[in-house]
Amino acid sequence: NDVELTKADPVKRIIAFIIDAVACMIVGFIPFIGGIIGALYMLLRDALPIEALEYQSIGKKLMKLSVVNTEDPAAKVDYAISAKRNWMFALGPIMLFFLFIPIIGWIIDILLGIAVLILVIIEIVKLFTNDKGLRWGDKMAGTMVIEK
């Protein structure tokens, strides 16, 4: 039950996201596949089975945050749950792929960029205004971010 779960500090969540976004951008500079790798990282980052990360993204690990299932906080977040809560952030790295396609790719990038910007603003507003810090992705996936 999510009653005993305490909302993580929204500022820590934003810092964790920025750390993840920087890691994603660094990988994104690998020609052709960088955008795909970055998109996969952003999509699956909360379920990475890397022992050092303890099923957390790099940013969440550094900021001591954890994603939990509100129905069963002890259960590990799997790829499906991570994808449900992060799909909107995977759109950004995909933009790098279209960057190499003149005109049409650039138009797609502009449209995706506007969509991602709007989604990110909405998600940030939700972090601060929802009493449990639930953003759309959390509501879709049945998750909540807590401090470890």
Side-chain angles (χ1 to χ4, degrees), residues 23-130:
C24 180
M25 285 190 322
I26 290 168
V27 171
F29 286 112
I30 300 170
F32 305 112
I33 62 166
I36 295 167
I37 293 169
L40 285 171
Y41 173 74
M42 292 304 280
L43 191 65
L44 305 174
R45 65 195 167 126
D46 296 320
L48 296 175
I50 299 169
E51 192 171 324
L53 292 177
E54 300 173 5
Y55 289 83
Q56 298 162 274
S57 71
I58 296 166
K60 284 187 187 71
K61 178 71 176 175
L62 292 173
M63 296 308 298
K64 296 180 171 56
L65 302 174
S66 184
V67 176
V68 294
N69 183 321
T70 55
E71 294 298 314
D72 182 6
K76 286 189 173 40
V77 172
D78 61 23
Y79 291 128
I81 290 172
S82 183
K84 280 182 196 172
R85 70 181 307 275
N86 293 313
W87 65 268
M88 68 284 299
F89 302 124
L91 295 175
I94 290 173
M95 292 170 56
L96 292 173
F97 176 77
F98 292 107
L99 192 62
F100 300 104
I101 304 169
I103 313 297
I104 302 287
W106 302 338
I107 292 169
I108 291 169
D109 268 354
I110 290 168
L111 295 174
L112 270 177
I114 292 168
V116 168
L117 180 62
I118 291 168
L119 285 169
V120 167
I121 290 169
I122 290 169
E123 294 291 72
I124 289 171
V125 169
K126 293 273 187 195
L127 283 181
F128 286 96
T129 59
N130 183 282

Side-chain angles (χ1 to χ4, degrees), residues 129-143:
T129 59
N130 183 282
D131 61 337
K132 294 192 178 293
L134 303 180
R135 56 180 187 77
W136 278 351
D138 290 313
K139 288 181 180 180
M140 291 171 73
T143 59

